[in-house]
Amino acid sequence: MNMGSMEREVLQNRALENKTFQTRSKKQAGEKRILVVHGWMHSAARYRRLKRDLESSGLFRVKLYEFPGFGHTPARYKRKILERFVEDMRGYLREHSFDIILAHSMGGNVVLKAVLREGRREKLLLLSPVYGGIGFLRPIACFWPVIAWGIRFLQAPCRGTKFLIRLLSLLTVNRWSAMDCQLVADVRRADAATGARLLAEMAFDQWKIPKEGFKGQAVLILGERDRVISRRHMEMLRKDLGECPAKILKGIGHTAILEDYGSLCWLVHHCINS
């Protein structure tokens, strides 16, 4: 019997002795742990397909994070919500270990702040992150109670509001045909006051990464035709992240997960493995 067959026999015997432990150890040793964080007015459910596709390779274990007030997670805060989300994320990262964090829009803003304050070194894939505020929203953000009322109106379960949700989503999703039932469901499940206050807080958020404050790895994934995040702010963020790589998705707006899932999935695989 050669050495190769002897080794295989030993491994088989160990697996028979403690099959559960052997399988669990193998998975933990071989898989990369990925945290996925959604953006404003989205939920963890938006990324279930990505989770399924990443985990199907057997190389990744994916955890979907959901902010209070979105999806099936009850609202928790009424003031300084963005800052409280950051503190929640800091606590979560202390309790869980990840190799990579993929975060979209508002989620990217929260993750960046949490990672820097905790001094963590996870690789970040930042998908159209909010950085330096959202200037064009500031004139209306002051009227957040009116925005909250508008969200509540959109949450009425009728065809007319479904059409309005899709119409207003053209600000972030460039193609009508890309909008799906999950987009409507996320808006209808969101806490209106949380969503409105967050929009105002993000519009006026002036937080910047301290000079030479970021020591980890990051990749920016941006839409070529993003109407929410300005190019100037993304250039500023890229510089503040130490001239990190920036991947541009052609013809895509602010929500690549909806507009070009195939390209985004391929790019995420590429960035994770590079």
Side-chain angles (χ1 to χ4, degrees), residues 60-78:
F60 311 113
R61 183 180 298 175
V62 181
K63 179 70 175 178
L64 303 180
Y65 186 92
E66 190 166 83
F67 291 108
F70 297 98
H72 295 285
T73 307
R76 194 180 303 160
Y77 308 118
K78 294 182 178 180

Side-chain angles (χ1 to χ4, degrees), residues 140-209:
I140 64 170
C142 296
F143 303 99
W144 71 265
V146 178
I147 297 172
W149 180 89
I151 294 173
R152 292 188 188 99
F153 174 78
L154 292 173
Q155 291 172 335
C158 61
R159 289 185 180 180
T161 55
K162 182 178 179 180
F163 173 81
L164 286 174
I165 289 171
R166 291 172 178 258
L167 187 65
L168 292 170
S169 295
L170 286 172
L171 178 65
T172 59
V173 183
N174 285 4
R175 292 186 295 110
W176 184 278
S177 59
M179 299 180 197
D180 60 7
C181 294
Q182 186 64 53
L183 181 144
V184 176
D186 283 344
V187 172
R188 288 180 172 170
R189 287 196 185 107
D191 179 73
T194 299
R197 284 298 293 255
L198 273 171
L199 195 66
E201 290 177 13
M202 286 190 294
F204 289 99
D205 182 45
Q206 295 297 304
W207 177 83
K208 300 288 176 60
I209 298 172

Side-chain angles (χ1 to χ4, degrees), residues 31-138:
E31 292 176 337
K32 288 185 179 180
R33 292 157 297 182
I34 303 172
L35 176 64
V36 179
V37 185
H38 67 85
W40 183 77
M41 296 303 282
H42 286 188
S43 70
R46 166 54 63 201
Y47 292 88
R48 284 176 184 164
R49 180 184 176 189
L50 181 63
K51 170 183 168 71
R52 183 174 64 250
D53 289 346
L54 287 173
E55 289 185 338
S56 66
S57 66
L59 300 175
F60 311 113
R61 183 180 298 175
V62 181
K63 179 70 175 178
L64 303 180
Y65 186 92
E66 190 166 83
F67 291 108
F70 297 98
H72 295 285
T73 307
R76 194 180 303 160
Y77 308 118
K78 294 182 178 180
R79 293 189 304 165
K80 297 182 178 180
I81 301 174
L82 195 62
E83 180 61 25
R84 291 173 184 267
F85 280 3
V86 174
E87 291 305 309
D88 283 352
M89 181 62 69
R90 291 179 68 182
Y92 187 80
L93 292 176
R94 290 189 200 114
E95 296 174 359
H96 301 81
S97 177
F98 297 98
D99 302 297
I100 296 149
I101 303 177
L102 169 66
H104 174 235
S105 191
M106 176 192 75
N109 180 287
V110 170
V111 164
L112 259 178
K113 292 173 181 175
V115 165
L116 261 70
R117 292 181 193 178
E118 288 294 305
R120 300 184 68 91
R121 294 297 184 93
E122 289 93 345
K123 183 175 184 178
L124 304 182
L125 304 183
L126 300 172
L127 180 57
S128 300
V130 173
Y131 188 70
I134 309 174
F136 76 92
L137 285 177
R138 288 171 190 162

